Amino acid sequence: MKLFTIGFTKKDAKTFFGLLIKNNVKTLIDIRLNNHSQLAGFSKGNDLDYFLKAIAGIDYFYFVQAAPEESLLKKWQKGEISWPEYEAA
């Protein structure tokens, strides 16, 4: 099994789904803390589940248990810790 990581920010839907299809992704595991944010656009949880299946036949699984703790995420967002520190934590 191969694991890939993909972000949705700064990507339009064509690029996002194109990368998934190009890499023959079978299942997308969503580990975002907030998968329903108004900033999520096409990648809101329920919409993403639908689009993945309809566009590319990709299964969707929301696994919030793998998301970063909210306090850690906020530290990174506020610039209190660097990306390497965030990754390590």
Side-chain angles (χ1 to χ4, degrees):
M1 171 184 354
K2 289 184 180 181
L3 295 177
F4 298 89
T5 181
I6 186 170
F8 71 93
T9 59
K10 299 182 183 178
K11 288 183 183 72
D12 59 18
K14 182 178 180 179
T15 301
F16 181 81
F17 292 104
L19 286 168
L20 296 175
I21 292 166
K22 177 182 174 184
N23 287 285
N24 200 30
V25 171
K26 301 295 181 204
T27 302
L28 185 138
I29 302 171
D30 187 348
I31 62 165
R32 295 174 292 167
L33 189 59
N34 299 308
N35 75 339
H36 55 276
S37 165
Q38 67 182 18
L39 300 175
F42 68 86
S43 68
K44 288 181 184 176
N46 291 337
D47 292 337
L48 185 57
D49 186 11
Y50 170 78
F51 290 138
L52 286 166
K53 188 58 81 180
I55 294 170
I58 297 173
D59 293 323
Y60 173 84
F61 181 71
Y62 183 50
F63 188 53
V64 70
Q65 295 86 343
E69 292 180 6
E70 189 169 6
S71 60
L72 177 64
L73 180 59
K74 287 190 183 291
K75 284 181 182 179
W76 177 74
Q77 289 172 329
K78 291 178 181 178
E80 295 173 5
I81 61 174
S82 68
W83 182 256
E85 291 170 316
Y86 178 75
E87 285 182 311

